[in-house]
Amino acid sequence: MTSHGVRRVAASASERRIETPAAHLVTVAHGTRAAAGNEVARELTAAAARALGWEATTSYVELGAPLFADVVSTVETPAVAVPLLLSTGYHLRQDLPAAVAAAGRDDVRLGRALGPDRLLAAAQVDRLRAAGATPGQPVVMVAAGSTDPAAAADLAAASHLLAHAWGAPVRLATLAGRGPRLAEVVRPGDAVSPYLLATGHFHRKARHDALAAGASVVADVIGPHPRVVQLVVERALALAPPAVGVA
């Protein structure tokens, strides 16, 4: 989808809103020591901000600057905070709400995890095709993983959405936390779809372990895909006060 297409989605989703850009978009990614990984969050934020016509700030839970806790303490206008985190977990349930509470803000609206969502599944399908996966090829979706039971439910739902979008069976593996590892799940000739937004340690491990287990195709991370931009726009509009829309 082009940037014009994303903007049309934003406009359509806000038909009943007054078109005054009075909200500030704050995205919050996990953060990584890989500079290229942190850049994904900035690219997504910039594209969503252009579509909305809002001011925007990219922030991180850790391993990147600025930190979310610092941003919510200093942003001068009402803000909507869209997590660029794919599943529920400790950061979403504890760290981010605690940061908003510590800032003493009642004008920061914090959203839920970015996934599971059909738009993420659509982006994964594009990445699989770009990597050379063929229609009907079995797929293993690999996620970072978590010890949080709610995250496990999110990942199961995400794998079902990917199976529907891909049109072939999808099995689930994780790199840490609950769930089976790639070595237990991948079969020779499988394609592997990393359920990761950005490159970094988990991306490198996913690729290494998938190929070692016999995968024939390993797709790229989801990255700043237009469908993800569309999803950030939709989440921002859903969080925005009623009098706020696209500029």
Side-chain angles (χ1 to χ4, degrees), residues 50-87:
R50 286 193 298 271
L52 290 161
W54 296 1
E55 295 295 321
T57 302
T58 309
S59 69
Y60 304 90
V61 178
E62 58 186 6
L63 304 177
L67 295 176
F68 177 72
D70 295 334
V71 171
V72 296
S73 295
T74 57
V75 67
E76 296 180 352
T77 56
V80 295
V82 177
L84 303 180
L85 305 172
L86 298 182
S87 302

Side-chain angles (χ1 to χ4, degrees), residues 35-223:
N38 289 336
E39 182 60 26
V40 168
R42 287 189 285 269
E43 290 181 26
L44 281 171
T45 305
R50 286 193 298 271
L52 290 161
W54 296 1
E55 295 295 321
T57 302
T58 309
S59 69
Y60 304 90
V61 178
E62 58 186 6
L63 304 177
L67 295 176
F68 177 72
D70 295 334
V71 171
V72 296
S73 295
T74 57
V75 67
E76 296 180 352
T77 56
V80 295
V82 177
L84 303 180
L85 305 172
L86 298 182
S87 302
T88 302
Y90 186 83
H91 291 315
L92 268 167
R93 296 204 297 160
Q94 302 292 332
D95 292 340
L96 302 188
V100 175
R105 301 291 297 263
D106 60 5
D107 60 351
V108 175
R109 298 187 174 199
L110 177 62
R112 61 183 177 86
L114 209 56
D117 195 277
R118 59 182 178 79
L119 292 172
L120 294 173
Q124 287 178 271
V125 167
D126 281 353
R127 299 304 188 209
L128 282 165
R129 289 172 176 158
T134 57
Q137 186 172 5
V139 168
V140 174
M141 189 185 93
V142 57
S146 172
T147 58
D148 192 320
D154 282 352
L155 293 179
S159 67
H160 289 312
L161 287 171
L162 178 57
H164 178 75
W166 180 242
V170 172
R171 302 186 304 282
L172 177 64
T174 59
L175 298 167
R178 295 170 178 259
R181 302 298 181 250
L182 281 165
E184 303 171 59
V185 178
V186 172
R187 301 167 186 164
D190 282 348
V192 171
S193 174
Y195 192 59
L196 302 167
L197 202 58
T199 192
H201 167 72
F202 281 125
H203 177 214
R204 293 189 295 272
K205 180 173 174 56
R207 183 169 182 81
H208 174 273
D209 292 357
L211 293 175
S216 63
V217 173
V218 181
D220 199 358
V221 295
I222 298 171

